Structures are given as C-alpha cells and as structure tokens.
Amino acid sequence: MSFWNSIFRPTSTAEIAQKYKLRKIPHQDSSIFLGTSKDIDPYELEELCDAVGWARRPVRKVRIALLNSFVVITLWQCQGNFRKLIGFARATSDHAFNATIWDVVIHPKFQGKGLGKTLMQELIKELRRADISNISLFADGHVVTFYEQMGFVADPEGIKGMFWYPPS
Amino acid sequence: MSFWNSIFRPTSTAEIAQKYKLRKIPHQDSSIFLGTSKDIDPYELEELCDAVGWARRPVRKVRIALLNSFVVITLWQCQGNFRKLIGFARATSDHAFNATIWDVVIHPKFQGKGLGKTLMQELIKELRRADISNISLFADGHVVTFYEQMGFVADPEGIKGMFWYPPS
C-alpha cells in the first residue's frame, strides 16, 4: 500500500472495535458493538440520557459515578472511523454479595430491536462471572414487565424497595 | 503512677473509644459508642448477624464487602478494656449520586432502645455529607414501618424494587 493510500484509507469498523476493545453481539444490525470499559466520555453519556429525556447531571459527578461503578456496559454503533454511544447500563456493588443496576438506557432510535435485552443479559453475565448472587434494581412502573421477562421479580417475599426523602 | 500500677491499670472505656476512634452517641446507655471504620473483624460481624438469625456468609467475602462498602456504621458496647459489636449497617454507592443500604442489624439484647434509629440517622448523615442525594434500601415487610418513620417511602412514584432470580 502506498504512503498516501495508508494515510487516507478510512479507519475500518474492525479497527475502531479493536481500539476500544468492543466486541460483536449476536444481533441483526452488524454495526452494533458492546463495550465494558468505564473510560467513556461523560458528555457522550449525558447526551444519550438527554435523548431519553432524563435530567442533566453534573459531568464531574458522572465521571466519579462511572469510576465507582462495579460494572459498566455500553452499546455502540460503529461506522467507518466513527462510533456513537447508543446504549448504557451500570451497576454498583460491594464486589462480593450484592449489585444494584442503575441508568439502563437505549437511544430512542435503537429501541424496539432487542438491544435492551442484550444490554441486560450482558450486565447480568458480568455480575454472575464476578460471583455476585444478589442482583437488584429499581424499576419505573412502565418497565417492570420488561425486567420480569429478564428474570427479575418485583417485591419478592414481600421485600419493598424504599427511597429516602429529606424532611420537609 | 508506679510502673506496676501503669501496667495493671485496666484500660478505660475512654481509651478504648480513642483507640478505635469511637464516639459517644446521645443515648441513655452511656456505654454505647459509634464507629465509622471499615476495619472491623468479619468474624465479629458474622457473630452479630448470627445472633439475629441471618445465614452465615464466607468470611473472605464479608471482608471484601466491607472494603467495598462506601459507608460502614457500627455500634459498640464498651466496658473497661472490652468492646462488643452490637449494631451494624453499611451502604454501597457510586460515590456521586446513589447509595443503597444493606445489612442493618442490632443485637437482640439491644433492640427496642432506639439504637436502630440512631444507626440509620448516622448512616443517612454520612451519605448526605458525601453529597449523595439518592438513598435507597430493600426492606423486609416487617420493617417497612420502621423505615417509613426514618423518612423512607416504599415504591415512590410506582418505582418497584426487583431482584433477579437465575432461570430454573
């Protein structure tokens, strides 16, 4: 390959995937890859969360939350030398017994394609690999059925999820 | 003070409290102190959990869970040169947005004295001091009222606590 060809040759999806340690997922859209690195751009994450209508969060705190999450799973659409964050989920944990899943999000343009299921399956797989037996989450009412399909049970044995509110 | 007096002088509760960085709590029983160190004997913790009938856990994993908890709060009964673990609670967190409280326990002999409330108040105070706004827990049915009195709300805005079960 000549010098100019090698300079101007567009970076391939495979190269992008290798650079960021992304891996293929079994999905009809072959441009979608999965990552497990915590080293993601907090601005890009907030853009994704913004796309589903979540409130903006301070980027400084997003960075801290990413670093202190036990597992981070990302989905990317890769095209040429370009990758775009289209899915995200993370879990906090004591690294021994329990993990709690937060911030599960799929970009609206990519919803309804089974990617939320893939994201959750990979997250559960990572947690099980780390020998975490107690996997929990807090689900908005409209996604309870989705999580039930993934093997989650609401209020098992009468256990209630509770949130603290400051005294008014 | 003579040499022998200084050797045989029993260590005072104040010295024990200073050694382990325990502090007094506003409680009628002045022998009870509060600690925030993660460096506690996992065997002693498991003995406390055993006293309330919880299943024994591998000590190796208990040690990992303690180290990877964001906040640990302990209650101790100090008498002379002796301290006994009588209360415990911990929280996992992403160090930025959310914390989840686990393993809240008061020794049966010390229940009904308001110590659970003290424990929870201190835990919430520590989490608020760390600027954690989202404090959650999973409560067994019989302690939901206790946590409600502490300012926790079950299923707020229809959010459901869910746990994952392996496919059978």
Side-chain angles (χ1 to χ4, degrees):
Chain A
M1 188 185 289
S2 77
F3 173 75
W4 291 110
N5 270 347
S6 81
I7 288 235
F8 290 114
R9 184 172 58 103
T11 312
S12 73
T13 296
E15 280 169 318
I16 282 288
Q18 194 177 9
K19 180 180 172 187
Y20 294 111
K21 293 183 182 158
L22 307 179
R23 65 171 201 267
K24 299 269 320 162
I25 52 165
H27 193 266
Q28 58 189 30
D29 186 339
S30 63
S31 71
I32 295 172
F33 288 76
L34 184 137
T36 54
S37 171
K38 294 178 188 178
D39 186 18
I40 62 175
D41 180 353
Y43 289 95
E44 199 168 359
L45 175 57
E46 287 311 284
E47 202 183 311
L48 171 62
C49 294
D50 196 44
V52 292
W54 293 358
R56 285 262 173 180
R57 302 175 294 184
V59 163
R60 184 187 61 83
K61 290 191 87 171
V62 172
R63 203 171 268 133
I64 293 169
L66 282 169
L67 285 176
N68 292 289
S69 292
F70 181 54
V71 173
V72 167
I73 300 281
T74 45
L75 289 176
W76 304 85
Q77 187 185 42
C78 298
Q79 277 172 344
N81 59 357
F82 169 86
R83 69 166 188 168
K84 181 185 164 70
L85 184 66
I86 61 153
F88 177 89
R90 67 184 175 101
T92 50
S93 175
D94 60 9
H95 304 203
F97 301 112
N98 60 55
T100 312
I101 296 170
W102 305 97
D103 300 348
V104 180
V105 53
I106 298 287
H107 192 283
K109 283 189 184 163
F110 293 86
Q111 288 178 8
K113 298 170 192 289
L115 289 170
K117 197 177 162 187
T118 301
L119 192 70
M120 286 300 296
Q121 280 170 339
E122 290 296 325
L123 182 47
I124 291 166
K125 208 187 287 175
E126 289 285 328
L127 293 173
R128 297 285 287 171
R129 195 177 292 153
D131 201 22
I132 303 294
S133 53
N134 183 2
I135 304 173
S136 57
L137 54 79
F138 296 96
D140 280 328
H142 69 281
V143 284
V144 164
T145 308
F146 166 72
Y147 288 118
E148 280 173 347
Q149 288 162 358
M150 302 297 309
F152 285 85
V153 176
D155 302 344
E157 299 168 49
I159 294 170
K160 297 299 281 182
M162 303 185 83
F163 284 85
W164 184 78
Y165 287 80
S168 52
Chain B
M1 188 184 289
S2 77
F3 173 74
W4 291 110
N5 270 346
S6 81
I7 287 230
F8 289 114
R9 185 172 56 104
T11 313
S12 73
T13 295
E15 280 169 318
I16 282 287
Q18 192 178 9
K19 179 180 174 187
Y20 294 111
K21 293 182 182 159
L22 307 179
R23 66 172 199 267
K24 299 267 324 161
I25 52 164
H27 193 268
Q28 58 189 32
D29 185 340
S30 63
S31 72
I32 296 172
F33 288 75
L34 185 136
T36 54
S37 170
K38 295 178 187 177
D39 186 18
I40 61 174
D41 180 352
Y43 289 95
E44 201 170 357
L45 175 57
E46 287 311 282
E47 203 182 309
L48 172 61
C49 295
D50 197 43
V52 292
W54 292 359
R56 285 262 172 178
R57 303 175 295 184
V59 164
R60 184 188 62 82
K61 291 191 86 172
V62 172
R63 202 171 268 132
I64 294 169
L66 282 168
L67 285 175
N68 291 290
S69 292
F70 182 54
V71 174
V72 167
I73 301 280
T74 45
L75 289 176
W76 304 85
Q77 187 185 42
C78 298
Q79 277 172 343
N81 60 355
F82 169 87
R83 67 166 190 169
K84 180 185 164 68
L85 184 66
I86 61 153
F88 177 89
R90 66 186 177 101
T92 49
S93 175
D94 61 9
H95 304 201
F97 301 112
N98 60 55
T100 313
I101 296 169
W102 305 97
D103 300 348
V104 180
V105 53
I106 298 286
H107 191 284
K109 283 189 186 163
F110 293 85
Q111 288 178 9
K113 299 170 190 288
L115 290 170
K117 197 177 163 189
T118 302
L119 193 72
M120 287 300 297
Q121 280 169 339
E122 290 295 326
L123 183 46
I124 291 166
K125 208 187 286 176
E126 288 284 329
L127 294 172
R128 297 286 289 170
R129 194 176 294 153
D131 201 22
I132 303 295
S133 53
N134 183 2
I135 303 174
S136 57
L137 55 78
F138 297 96
D140 280 328
H142 69 282
V143 284
V144 164
T145 309
F146 166 73
Y147 288 118
E148 279 172 347
Q149 287 162 359
M150 302 296 311
F152 285 85
V153 176
D155 303 344
E157 299 169 50
I159 294 170
K160 297 300 279 182
M162 301 185 84
F163 284 85
W164 186 78
Y165 287 79
S168 51

